[in-house]
Amino acid sequence: EAQVTQNPRYLITVTGKKLTVTCSQNMNHEYMSWYRQDPGLGLRQIYYSMNVEVTDKGDVPEGYKVSRKEKRNFPLILESPSPNQTSLYFCASGPASGPYEQYFGPGTRLTVT
Amino acid sequence: GENVEQHPSTLSVQEGDSAVIKCTYSDSASNYFPWYKQELGKRPQLIIDIRSNVGEKKDQRIAVTLNKTAKHFSLHITETQPEDSAVYFCAASGNAGKSTFGDGTTLTVKP
């Protein structure tokens, strides 16, 4: 089954404790992206990747890191999480390096206390 | 950078009526305009999209129109049904890969 998976789906952590949210897709998509969703603010792009080893900042990259060493994986790293990073995070992938449709993962609800 | 504004933020219609959601964008380099539907507790899903070389696209009860000169695009849903109730997001993106979403419209269809 073609899909985008994220792990973990739910996470409660404390300020400053490094964490990684994994994202994997099995559709051989070139494009991958991370978004955060907060009430009333829609989806805001954190980072995106047009292809392996190519990553770029979205609108809200501060406090986040990403890497794209393999085509299928695009982990999101929070080196020192803070309470303002409490949010719902979505990973997405798309079939080409360019403006095309995106397929979203199920989301990861992160709470930083 | 790109700025996408979406209106209205909430919309309530009677079953069978039409619903229209509008978005404006600022970057003339944007050339792809998708619409996503997000049901409560679920992931966003693409329902229709349009590219800048097309003025209108229709898929059964939903349609999207694009006015490139005025930099605005709209989602039209006809013969609304209760299962159309959800949050709808517009977005704009270009060849550089960046995607900017509107803040969303909560559509409620009353039976």
Side-chain angles (χ1 to χ4, degrees):
Chain A
E1 181 190 353
Q3 59 182 346
V4 180
T5 57
Q6 295 179 226
N7 282 293
R9 295 287 315 279
Y10 303 90
L11 180 60
I12 301 174
T13 190
V14 296
T15 300
K17 185 177 182 183
K18 182 179 178 179
L19 66 92
T20 299
V21 184
T22 64
C23 174
S24 184
Q25 50 93 4
N26 63 1
M27 295 172 278
N28 201 34
H29 285 170
E30 294 182 12
Y31 183 90
M32 296 187 75
S33 183
W34 275 103
Y35 297 88
R36 61 176 289 172
Q37 184 174 30
D38 302 291
L41 295 178
L43 291 149
R44 292 182 292 167
Q45 194 174 40
I46 303 170
Y47 271 94
Y48 62 97
S49 170
M50 301 276 270
N51 213 328
V52 176
E53 301 291 1
V54 179
T55 62
D56 281 295
K57 296 178 181 179
D59 290 323
V60 289
E62 296 78 19
Y64 305 95
K65 286 176 60 176
V66 293
S67 68
R68 186 89 182 276
K69 296 176 181 174
E70 304 168 279
K71 198 171 188 178
R72 63 181 292 132
N73 296 323
F74 191 45
L76 179 69
I77 303 156
L78 285 72
E79 296 258 351
S80 183
S82 62
N84 64 10
Q85 293 179 298
T86 292
S87 187
L88 177 59
Y89 291 86
F90 285 102
C91 178
S93 71
S97 299
Y100 286 95
E101 68 271 26
Q102 296 182 52
Y103 299 87
F104 284 81
T108 295
R109 186 164 293 281
L110 172 66
T111 302
V112 184
T113 61
Chain B
E2 175 66 278
N3 182 50
V4 176
E5 294 190 358
Q6 183 172 345
H7 297 281
S9 56
T10 60
L11 179 60
S12 182
V13 300
Q14 209 65 36
E15 182 177 0
D17 287 350
S18 295
V20 180
I21 303 170
K22 299 181 179 182
C23 288
T24 61
Y25 63 100
S26 60
D27 189 350
S28 56
S30 291
N31 58 5
Y32 177 68
F33 308 94
W35 287 89
Y36 291 86
K37 175 183 180 183
Q38 186 178 29
E39 297 176 349
L40 190 63
K42 296 192 176 180
R43 71 192 79 185
Q45 290 196 302
L46 179 75
I47 57 171
I48 196 167
D49 56 12
I50 193 167
R51 296 189 181 278
S52 57
N53 57 349
V54 176
E56 184 173 359
K57 185 176 179 180
K58 191 174 181 181
D59 182 3
Q60 299 183 333
R61 294 188 298 108
I62 60 173
V64 57
T65 59
L66 171 65
N67 184 326
K68 197 177 174 184
T69 302
K71 294 196 183 74
H72 65 73
F73 56 111
S74 301
L75 177 70
H76 305 253
I77 306 174
T78 59
E79 301 173 17
T80 54
Q81 301 166 4
E83 50 265 39
D84 293 330
S85 296
V87 180
Y88 291 82
F89 292 98
C90 64
S93 59
N95 293 332
K98 208 169 180 182
S99 286
T100 303
F101 282 69
D103 290 342
T105 296
T106 300
L107 173 64
T108 302
V109 181
K110 299 178 182 177

